[in-house]
């Protein structure tokens, strides 16, 4: 019997209280904009609180405990937001079309994606309305932005991250920001990684990976699994390679640079930065594409966001394509993945979700619903 994940009401309430307080911190600022939506989705709505914004307390319980209402004094305009869907505050300095492509200073409320996995998508962001004074960076306002990031990261370092996009760092505004960070951190020669880490400890960049990524042996065996696919999923794009048609994993060295290629050079192949793989997760998740059955997946996860809209750290995966014959599990297809986990489970970077562990202990279940031959 496969149990659904338990609803963690205490964790939801605790995180919602933090996000509630973080938004109230911003609403006390006199010159901010609350932006709803993203240009990538075609439209943005903006609220200009001018110090008149406030949040109503939560009135719901259970899975709706994070729902709040943002109100403006003497105005009918308001915003409903579910902090229960927010997983992190992403402070970012990035070019903005609204500022003639000069950097904007934003705090984006990142939301959970399909399946409850963390994503890089946001539906609400908080930003400095006017971070410039006569075309020059306003140091006082930017310092307040840095204060908000630092104060909130001190309260919950696991829920706050900070980024200065690479395209900003060498601009005149980026160099001015660098000096501000050096001054507040008392590191006159500090560089971006250490300055960001000093401001927000939870935003520390991962260490430089070793020359030989630890996942190599596991990946080589995963690529030999039958009836499986190597999957790379990005916004509006899904690339799938049948593992049985790939010519394994190849290592190349050119001028001291090591690269990894999956597939033969003269056939379909892809190049992956395997040093970016921080963890490997064995997952078993009920999905509609398996007709109510289990989707067996080996996730190769990055230390930070990688552009996957389903889960923000999902760099690539290997998925079993046909784990059922009718409603019966195909043990000859599923068992190699279970065996792969058993072989590597003691590695610190290998994990498994609860459903996968249940199947490991009790055996693969039948498909829950009736299926046609097309679902095999």
């Amino acid at each position: 019997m496969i149990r659904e994940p338990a609803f963690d009401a205490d964790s939801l309430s605790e995180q919602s209280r933090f996000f509630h307080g973080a938004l109230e911190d911003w609403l006390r600022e006199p010159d901010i904009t609350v932006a709803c939506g993203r240009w990538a989705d075609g439209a943005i709505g903006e609220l200009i609180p001018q110090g008149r914004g406030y949040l109503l307390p939560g009135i719901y319980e259970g899975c709706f405990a994070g729902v709040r209402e943002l109100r403006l004094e003497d105005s009918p305009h308001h915003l409903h937001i579910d902090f229960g869907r927010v997983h992190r505050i992403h402070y970012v300095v990035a070019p903005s079309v609204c500022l003639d492509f000069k950097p904007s200073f934003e705090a984006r409320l990142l939301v959970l994606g399909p399946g409850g996995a963390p994503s890089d998508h946001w539906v609400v962001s908080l930003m400095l309305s006017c971070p410039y004074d006569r075309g020059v960076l306003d140091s006082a306002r930017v310092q307040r932005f840095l204060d908000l990031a630092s104060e909130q990261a001190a309260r919950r370092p696991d829920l706050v991250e900070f980024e200065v996009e690479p395209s900003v760092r060498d601009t005149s505004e980026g160099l001015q920001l660098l000096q501000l960070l050096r001054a507040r951190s008392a590191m006159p020669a500090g560089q971006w990684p250490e300055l960001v880490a000093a401001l927000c400890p939870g935003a520390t960049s991962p260490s430089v990976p070793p020359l030989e990524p630890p996942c190599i042996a596991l990946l080589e065996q995963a690529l030999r699994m039958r009836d499986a696919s190597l999957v790379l999923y990005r916004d509006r794009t899904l690339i799938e390679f049948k593992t049985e048609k790939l010519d394994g994993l190849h290592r190349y060295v050119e001028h001291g640079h090591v690269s990894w290629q999956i597939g033969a050079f003269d056939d379909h192949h892809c190049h992956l930065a395997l040093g970016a793989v921080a963890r490997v997760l064995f997952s078993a998740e009920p999905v509609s594409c398996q007709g109510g059955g289990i989707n067996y997946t080996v996730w190769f996860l990055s230390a930070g966001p990688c552009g996957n809209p389903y889960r923000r750290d999902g760099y690539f995966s290997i998925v079993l394509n046909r784990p059922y014959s009718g409603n019966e599990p195909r043990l000859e297809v599923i068992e190699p993945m279970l065996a792969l986990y058993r072989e590597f489970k003691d590695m610190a970077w290998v994990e498994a979700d609860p459903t996968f562990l249940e199947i490991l202990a009790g055996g693969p279940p039948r498909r829950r619903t009736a299926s046609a031959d097309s679902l095999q």
Side-chain angles (χ1 to χ4, degrees), residues 16-26 28 55 152 155:
S16 295
R17 284 194 295 270
F18 169 74
F19 294 130
H20 181 122
L23 182 50
E24 285 187 324
D25 292 342
W26 272 85
R28 283 191 281 270
L55 285 173
Q152 292 173 7
R155 296 203 299 267

Side-chain angles (χ1 to χ4, degrees), residues 298-311:
V298 183
W299 282 102
F300 293 80
L301 306 176
S302 60
C306 64
N308 186 328
Y310 179 76
R311 60 175 301 156

Side-chain angles (χ1 to χ4, degrees), residues 3 19 52 78 95 105 137 163 171 190 194 266 284 287 292 309 353 361:
R3 295 190 300 270
F19 294 130
R52 300 177 297 112
H78 62 279
F105 295 78
L137 204 63
E163 177 189 11
T171 65
E194 57 189 327
D266 57 356
V287 293
D353 65 25

Side-chain angles (χ1 to χ4, degrees), residues 95-107:
S96 171
V97 64
C98 301
L99 297 173
D100 194 25
F101 294 101
K102 287 186 176 182
S104 69
F105 295 78
E106 305 178 36

Side-chain angles (χ1 to χ4, degrees), residues 273-304:
L274 298 183
V277 175
R279 296 182 298 129
V280 174
L281 173 68
F282 287 75
S283 171
E285 180 184 6
V287 293
S288 58
C289 65
Q290 291 292 354
I294 298 294
N295 206 42
Y296 295 88
T297 306
V298 183
W299 282 102
F300 293 80
L301 306 176
S302 60

